[in-house]
Amino acid sequence: MQKIAIYGKGGIGKSTMTANLSAAFATLGKRVIQIGCDPKADSTINLLGGQPLQSVMGYMRSYDREPDRLEDIARTGFGGVLCIETGGPTPGLGCAGRGIIATFNLLDDLNLFETFRPDIVLYDVLGDVVCGGFAAPIREGYAEDVLIVTSGEKMSLYAANNIASAVENFADRGYAKVRGILFNRRNVPDEQKKVDAFAQAHGLPILADIPRSDAINRCEERGMTVIEADPDLPISQKFLRLAVSLAAEQEIG
């Protein structure tokens, strides 16, 4: 089982990257779980035909109890991807990171991995603050590898640097390691140079270079990934090649 946490600044496109990568893995015949670890609970919406999924924390608020079954908090999306959202507390009340911890504990109790037996688990994690529950995939053994989504924008690179530094601080404890960067272009000045400099400073490869794409926007308006809409599109092929590469590295490792 390959467990990957995808981190990035809010709004940088990490959910788009994660959902398309999940769809790409599924297209390759892999059993995939995608777990959205963001209070917005919208990570999986484009795997579910544009329909939002009730989050774990939302379920607990609605029913004042923990769910008894995976079916209460999970739904199968495109390609058989099992979709789960942690959600967060009522706005202004409580810590969003604690929702991730509570969800992970619950999923352990419900034997998620033993029941579904996935090949790939993708965690879509907000990376603006790498502390508390948001650091759980890195330090609690849930993820083995970290992918950092960034553009050449200043605040995106700032968040990416914080994420890389956080993972490096855990390096001697056998926790997750940064495998590389997903370069999600925003077409800002000197973008290639800035992202290359960040990658070189941390000794990281750029695993995928994703251009700005009208196809992604059109597909998301229809509630789907580009992989579902047309796997032969050039942008779809980029995600498929990334999935092939990541799966191959896991098999070699």
Side-chain angles (χ1 to χ4, degrees):
M1 178 170 57
Q2 190 173 7
K3 298 176 288 184
I4 302 172
I6 300 178
Y7 277 82
K9 178 186 178 297
I12 193 55
K14 61 183 174 49
S15 294
T16 294
M17 300 295 106
T18 307
N20 277 283
L21 187 54
S22 286
F25 276 125
T27 299
L28 297 176
K30 304 293 186 180
R31 287 176 62 82
V32 184
I33 297 175
Q34 180 169 324
I35 302 176
C37 302
D38 190 314
K40 297 195 305 296
D42 60 357
S43 173
T44 59
I45 194 167
N46 291 315
L47 294 167
L48 295 168
Q51 298 300 311
L53 174 63
Q54 184 175 48
S55 70
V56 174
M57 297 302 290
Y59 181 98
M60 292 180 180
R61 282 196 301 274
S62 297
Y63 297 98
D64 197 27
R65 63 177 178 85
E66 291 186 349
D68 299 317
R69 309 172 304 154
L70 284 173
E71 291 81 357
D72 294 331
I73 53 168
R75 194 188 312 162
T76 301
F78 170 77
V81 177
L82 189 70
C83 301
I84 299 170
E85 298 280 358
T86 68
T90 302
L93 301 173
C95 171
R98 292 184 65 182
I100 298 173
I101 295 172
T103 297
F104 284 6
N105 290 337
L106 173 64
L107 295 178
D108 286 341
D109 292 341
L110 293 175
N111 298 313
L112 170 65
F113 301 139
E114 294 83 357
T115 301
F116 190 76
R117 300 179 66 83
D119 300 306
I120 308 287
V121 182
L122 296 179
Y123 301 92
D124 175 7
V125 193
L126 184 67
D128 292 76
V129 180
V130 193
C131 65
F134 296 108
I138 296 174
R139 69 185 187 194
E140 302 296 339
Y142 290 101
E144 299 163 344
D145 297 302
V146 172
L147 305 181
I148 300 175
V149 181
T150 190
S151 68
E153 295 166 303
K154 180 178 179 180
M155 294 310 297
S156 175
L157 287 168
Y158 179 81
N161 184 70
N162 284 344
I163 295 160
S165 298
V167 178
E168 289 163 7
N169 289 337
F170 291 132
D172 60 347
R173 305 183 191 182
Y175 293 160
K177 297 180 180 180
V178 179
R179 176 173 284 195
I181 296 165
L182 306 184
F183 181 8
N184 192 27
R185 289 181 179 267
R186 294 296 181 87
N187 296 341
V188 299
D190 297 321
E191 189 165 31
Q192 183 75 57
K193 180 179 178 181
K194 292 172 182 176
V195 174
D196 283 344
F198 168 76
Q200 292 169 12
H202 288 275
L204 298 172
I206 296 175
L207 299 176
D209 186 337
I210 307 298
R212 296 206 72 160
S213 170
D214 290 337
I216 288 178
N217 295 332
R218 289 194 299 269
C219 289
E220 291 190 342
E221 288 177 359
R222 297 165 59 194
M224 64 175 61
T225 64
V226 291
I227 302 294
E228 179 180 1
D230 185 350
D232 292 325
L233 288 173
I235 190 68
S236 300
Q237 288 295 308
K238 283 184 172 287
F239 288 111
L240 286 164
R241 285 194 294 270
L242 175 61
V244 168
S245 174
L246 291 171
E249 288 183 26
Q250 175 72 7
E251 291 172 2
I252 292 172

